[in-house]
């Protein structure tokens, strides 16, 4: 079962991307996050297939999030 993580600080964007990702196939699981720090904490114990992230967010931008996310074992190639 593929897992897609969506990170965006705007609720409307999260909802749009979540619906779009869920429509790709019946077995896709979508996890959404509003805060990059919360997402990083959760993704340490969740193996995802795709991450969709906003660029401008509180605490860190999307590039910094991706750099930190790729430090998680198993997430280097996501």
């Amino acid at each position: 079962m593929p897992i897609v993580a969506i990170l965006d600080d705007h609720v409307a964007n999260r909802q749009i991307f979540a619906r779009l990702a869920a429509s790709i196939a019946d077995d896709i699981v979508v996890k959404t996050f509003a805060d990059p720090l919360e997402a990083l904490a959760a993704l340490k114990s969740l193996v995802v297939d795709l991450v969709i992230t906003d660029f401008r967010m509180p605490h860190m931008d999307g590039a910094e999030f991706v750099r930190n996310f790729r430090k998680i074992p198993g997430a280097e190639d996501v």
Side-chain angles (χ1 to χ4, degrees), residues 10-37:
H10 296 284
V11 66
N13 292 347
R14 285 194 311 273
Q15 291 172 341
I16 291 167
F17 288 127
R19 281 195 305 267
L20 180 62
S23 73
I24 294 170
D26 292 335
D27 63 340
I28 290 182
V29 174
V30 179
K31 302 289 185 180
T32 61
F33 303 94
D35 180 89
L37 299 175

Side-chain angles (χ1 to χ4, degrees), residues 39-68:
L40 286 171
L43 295 174
K44 287 181 180 177
S45 61
L46 185 65
V47 178
V48 297
D49 299 287
L50 175 67
V51 175
I52 299 170
T53 182
D54 188 10
F55 187 77
R56 293 190 330 195
M57 300 175 286
H59 307 296
M60 70 179 71
D61 65 25
E64 185 179 355
F65 169 80
V66 170
R67 283 191 298 274
N68 285 297

